[in-house]
Amino acid sequence: MPPAVTRAEIFKEARGRKYGDYMNTSESGWGRTITVRAMKCARWRAQERLAEAHSATPAPEPSPVTARLVPSTTALTFLTRCSHLAALALLCPFSASAWPGPGAWQTQVVDTTPAPFSFTPVNNATPGIRYVAGPIIVTGITGPSPISVTGGRYRINAGSFTSVAGTVNANDRVRVVVWSSSANGTAAAATLTIGGVSASFTVTTAGSTTDDRVPDSFSFAPVNNAALSATYVSTPATITGITGPSPISVEGGLYKINNGPATAQAGTVNVNDRVSLQVTASSQKGTAVTATVTIGGVRAPFTVTTAGSATDRPRPAEVLNFSNWRLTLPVTSGGGTTGLATTIMPSALVRPPGYTSQYLYTDANGAVVFYAPSNGATSTPGEGSDNTRTELRELYKLSGPTEWTNGVGGTLTASCRVDRTPIARKSVVIGQIHGVSSILLLLTYDEAKRIVQAKFYKGPNSSDGPTVQIASNIGIGDRIDYRIQWIGANISVTVNGRTVNRQTSSSWNGVGVYFKAGTYNAGSANRGNPAGDAGQVAFFNLDLQH
């Protein structure tokens, strides 16, 4: 026979337990969130003891209930909606002294179910347009509540629209977005759910589902051999086959309806409207640019392809403006390397398709390369300079004086990189102000010192003058941005943002000068150098101002 268990023993054991045995606690903010469990409550323990005594199966453990404890000056009370706690109160009539005194805790339920909410539907909506509903203000909850959406997206307060489930808090403002259908008389809806409460936002397009908003097929003739960066407008296509307004949108360009302005904004077209597309051609040869218009779900492209091959490089005259420059090459007019260097006049430099050779060409990066072998023809053989060059010489006036004075003033702005220097001097001149028989300024890159320096000559026919370092830590291939300016008595040189100013002597007043730019192998003899020895500078831009 199993041992006898009296009711008094069961009550005694239940009373002997503290209320802490009937709950698990964890910190959460200012209050304390607990899971009140009945697993240790008196009734369940009593049933457990009876089962032990009579070899019966214990009662199942009750489910937890979530609650929040807040300070109170009253005695601790448990959640009355838990029947097991009510049973505990009956089985275990604790005295007031057995519980915490003033400042004790009492429970409050965390409510995640909001008050009902709704969205105003939209009727007669334009097809294919975004519509936003709300905001609705979330009320009736005392803690975070789950939020999700189907058929659209939602946004909380000033956040981004999303379709990913999340949580909201009391007084959050929620909006919902829906794209209207591209068909007439058709509803599109998004359903927002917060804490189990749902509401839909419905957008219904205007018209009847029997309206035909899908046009007959249409097309635009492509343009080939287009000029670089030019604007082209297609021949208009007349829209047929629709019985009401149809949505229109464009990608990659602009569209025009009848004689209206070109636009990229979505809109609508009507039957017999004339639609054309506008495209700006590529700046690269042999390259296609396409604009595609969509009307009622029917798409049509307009393609503009520039002339030439995508592998073609632009000619030097397409990169730099040679209108007021002539070019000196390190070869004679017959192509020899001994004697007087030949010159290429502006008309030949710019005449289509534009001058190019092994000494002046465009590289893969679009820069104009000035290549000057150390061994070659010179501009004044046996008289002045015996150094080779592939260099531009400014012509101030094409018909008139080719030099200018400090009374006129001038500015040369350039961007370049030095690719190589001659072995003998490891330097190359990249810019000058030169006179008919004298030099005012030499701007030189020194590879060994990794610097750019300027030499300022004291006066005409003088070889004396200070040399000033302007920029440092410049390696082969590094970009060099420079500006040379002479106005009145002030000459200034700026390299990579650093400027040096000098005052010229009055002996320079009225002396005719001109700018020079390119590759000049100053200081390197034009004979006896190793085969392949050369200077090379590539220019990205070159600009003259007077």
Side-chain angles (χ1 to χ4, degrees):
M1 292 290 293
V5 180
T6 66
R7 180 181 180 86
E9 288 176 327
I10 296 172
F11 282 3
K12 181 178 179 181
E13 180 173 341
R15 289 190 179 93
R17 292 181 178 273
K18 297 179 180 180
Y19 74 92
D21 294 333
Y22 300 97
M23 60 187 174
N24 295 330
T25 66
S26 63
E27 295 296 333
S28 178
W30 176 78
R32 181 180 296 175
T33 299
I34 67 170
T35 301
V36 181
R37 309 182 65 132
M39 61 176 287
K40 296 296 184 179
C41 76
R43 175 172 289 181
W44 182 80
R45 182 58 180 157
Q47 291 174 345
E48 183 185 58
R49 289 295 307 277
L50 288 172
E52 291 172 355
H54 298 285
S55 300
T57 302
E61 179 181 345
S63 301
V65 175
T66 300
R68 177 178 294 275
L69 291 181
V70 295
S72 170
T73 56
T74 64
L76 180 66
T77 60
F78 283 96
L79 190 62
T80 57
R81 46 194 257 192
C82 176
S83 61
H84 298 288
L85 297 180
L88 176 63
L90 292 173
L91 289 171
C92 307
F94 295 97
S95 66
S97 62
W99 301 92
W105 301 88
Q106 68 181 21
T107 61
Q108 291 181 347
V109 176
V110 177
D111 192 350
T112 61
T113 302
F117 55 90
S118 62
F119 300 103
T120 302
V122 175
N123 297 312
N124 296 316
T126 301
I129 299 297
R130 189 181 82 155
Y131 287 86
V132 179
I136 58 103
I137 299 176
V138 180
T139 60
I141 60 175
T142 58
S145 184
I147 182 172
S148 60
V149 71
T150 58
R153 296 188 176 192
Y154 71 89
R155 181 174 74 180
I156 301 174
N157 299 325
S160 301
F161 280 103
T162 181
S163 59
V164 178
T167 58
V168 291
N169 295 293
N171 297 319
D172 277 348
R173 300 164 67 88
V174 181
R175 290 175 170 85
V176 173
V177 64
V178 169
W179 282 87
S180 62
S181 171
S182 60
N184 294 317
T186 303
T191 300
L192 184 73
T193 301
I194 302 176
V197 177
S198 299
S200 294
F201 172 46
T202 302
V203 177
T204 305
T205 51
S208 167
T209 55
T210 60
D211 288 343
D212 188 355
R213 303 303 170 92
V214 179
D216 298 332
S217 61
F218 56 95
S219 62
F220 302 98
V223 174
N224 297 312
N225 297 315
L228 301 181
S229 302
T231 299
Y232 290 85
V233 178
S234 71
T235 301
T238 301
I239 307 305
T240 60
I242 59 177
T243 59
S246 187
I248 180 174
S249 60
V250 70
E251 303 169 15
L254 306 174
Y255 72 87
K256 297 173 63 176
I257 300 175
N258 301 320
N259 294 320
T263 181
Q265 298 296 317
T268 58
V269 294
N270 295 292
V271 66
N272 294 325
D273 276 346
R274 292 164 57 82
V275 175
S276 56
L277 293 182
Q278 179 175 307
V279 168
T280 299
S282 171
S283 60
Q284 303 297 318
K285 292 182 178 181
T287 303
V289 176
T290 299
T292 302
V293 68
T294 302
I295 300 176
V298 177
R299 295 168 61 86
F302 174 48
T303 301
V304 175
T305 305
T306 50
S309 169
T311 59
D312 289 346
R313 294 177 182 175
R315 295 296 180 112
E318 295 176 302
V319 179
L320 303 180
N321 183 359
F322 293 135
S323 298
N324 288 84
W325 297 97
R326 77 182 184 199
L327 178 68
T328 301
L329 298 177
V331 291
T332 65
S333 58
T337 58
T338 301
L340 180 64
T342 190
T343 58
I344 309 296
M345 298 303 289
S347 58
L349 288 174
V350 301
R351 184 184 303 120
Y355 175 83
T356 187
S357 69
Q358 69 185 88
Y359 308 108
L360 185 79
Y361 61 90
T362 307
D363 67 11
N365 296 317
V368 177
V369 176
F370 292 74
Y371 171 71
S374 298
N375 299 319
T378 64
S379 56
T380 53
E383 298 179 12
S385 171
D386 282 328
N387 314 124
T388 59
R389 70 187 78 206
T390 299
E391 187 180 38
L392 294 170
R393 190 270 201 204
E394 178 195 9
L395 300 176
Y396 174 54
K397 299 287 187 181
L398 296 181
S399 58
T402 58
E403 297 82 32
W404 50 276
T405 67
N406 59 340
V408 173
T411 304
L412 174 64
T413 304
S415 295
C416 66
R417 69 168 192 268
V418 177
D419 295 331
R420 59 193 296 189
T421 61
I423 293 175
R425 293 291 296 269
K426 305 300 292 182
S427 65
V428 64
V429 174
I430 60 177
Q432 300 186 55
I433 298 180
H434 207 288
V436 175
S437 59
S438 55
I439 304 172
L440 172 60
L441 172 79
L442 282 181
L443 187 65
T444 304
Y445 170 74
D446 188 316
E447 180 183 356
K449 296 179 180 179
R450 295 170 57 87
I451 64 172
V452 174
Q453 60 189 15
K455 181 172 182 179
F456 300 87
Y457 288 82
K458 290 183 177 180
N461 303 313
S462 172
S463 60
D464 295 332
T467 298
V468 180
Q469 176 182 315
I470 302 178
S472 60
N473 197 31
I474 299 176
I476 289 291
D478 290 346
R479 187 182 178 101
I480 300 172
D481 296 312
Y482 73 79
R483 188 189 74 158
I484 302 171
Q485 184 179 71
W486 187 34
I487 300 175
N490 184 71
I491 184 170
S492 68
V493 181
T494 300
V495 178
N496 290 356
R498 182 172 182 267
T499 301
V500 171
N501 291 287
R502 305 287 294 188
Q503 294 296 305
T504 56
S505 72
S506 59
S507 62
W508 281 108
N509 293 344
V511 174
V513 295
Y514 47 84
F515 286 116
K516 303 188 80 174
T519 299
Y520 174 41
N521 297 323
S524 299
N526 67 322
R527 293 287 179 270
N529 298 298
D533 186 48
Q536 180 173 303
V537 182
F539 280 76
F540 302 101
N541 69 274
L542 193 64
D543 181 66
L544 280 174
Q545 289 185 354
H546 289 288

